[in-house]
Amino acid sequence: MIRRRDAAQATLDHFSGRPFAWGGSDCARLIAWHLRRLGYKPGLSRGGPYKSALGAHRALARAGFASLDQWLEWMGLAPIPPAAAIVGDIVKGTGDDVFGALGVCLGNGRLLGYSEEAEGAVVMQAIDLAAAWRAEPR
């Protein structure tokens, strides 16, 4: 739990208030950065750079994944019920686009992620989660 807490805090410190930018500060980059703190090798960069939603979709496909869900499972993260997510786990909210919205569980019903209503990455209340993955430290 200490490694989970430390990784979640480091991710919060690094991304908090950082403006959303496709290919630099987006939910996939936030999750990849967090997972590196837990000992994972995300491999997302093999899809190449991108600067838009369409570019992100193409980069994901070039990396060999049909979805972010598939990418998370490729790394060995096991799907879990969203209600079972604990500090450091990855959660996915419902979204209007093909990607959904990934975030890092901070505990106590909170998560770190990007929201259309905020300038940058923010801590928000988890209300409508569609999926979650267990991110065990390696």
Side-chain angles (χ1 to χ4, degrees):
M1 282 303 284
I2 292 170
R3 281 197 60 204
R4 290 170 156 279
R5 179 207 60 203
D6 291 350
Q9 184 65 54
T11 305
L12 175 63
D13 293 345
H14 186 77
F15 282 92
S16 186
R18 187 175 283 212
F20 182 90
W22 286 108
S25 296
D26 57 35
C27 64
R29 298 296 182 192
L30 182 147
I31 298 305
W33 198 92
H34 173 70
L35 290 173
R36 278 188 209 95
R37 307 288 92 39
L38 291 172
Y40 291 83
K41 292 182 170 103
L44 201 55
S45 61
R46 65 185 180 168
Y50 56 92
K51 299 280 183 199
S52 67
L54 180 58
H57 183 69
R58 289 178 178 158
L60 192 62
R62 282 192 305 270
F65 307 108
S67 68
L68 290 172
D69 300 31
Q70 188 182 52
W71 167 60
L72 292 169
E73 291 174 25
W74 169 81
M75 279 190 292
L77 277 66
I80 58 172
I86 59 174
V87 174
D89 284 341
I90 308 306
V91 294
K92 179 180 176 183
T94 57
D96 295 337
D97 59 26
V98 67
F99 297 110
L102 296 179
V104 175
C105 182
L106 299 177
N108 200 27
R110 303 281 196 259
L111 66 95
L112 173 66
Y114 284 97
S115 168
E116 293 175 356
E117 287 84 36
E119 289 286 318
V122 294
V123 175
M124 57 189 110
Q125 181 69 39
I127 295 174
D128 190 16
L129 297 178
W133 293 265
R134 179 72 67 211
E136 292 290 348
R138 291 187 168 175

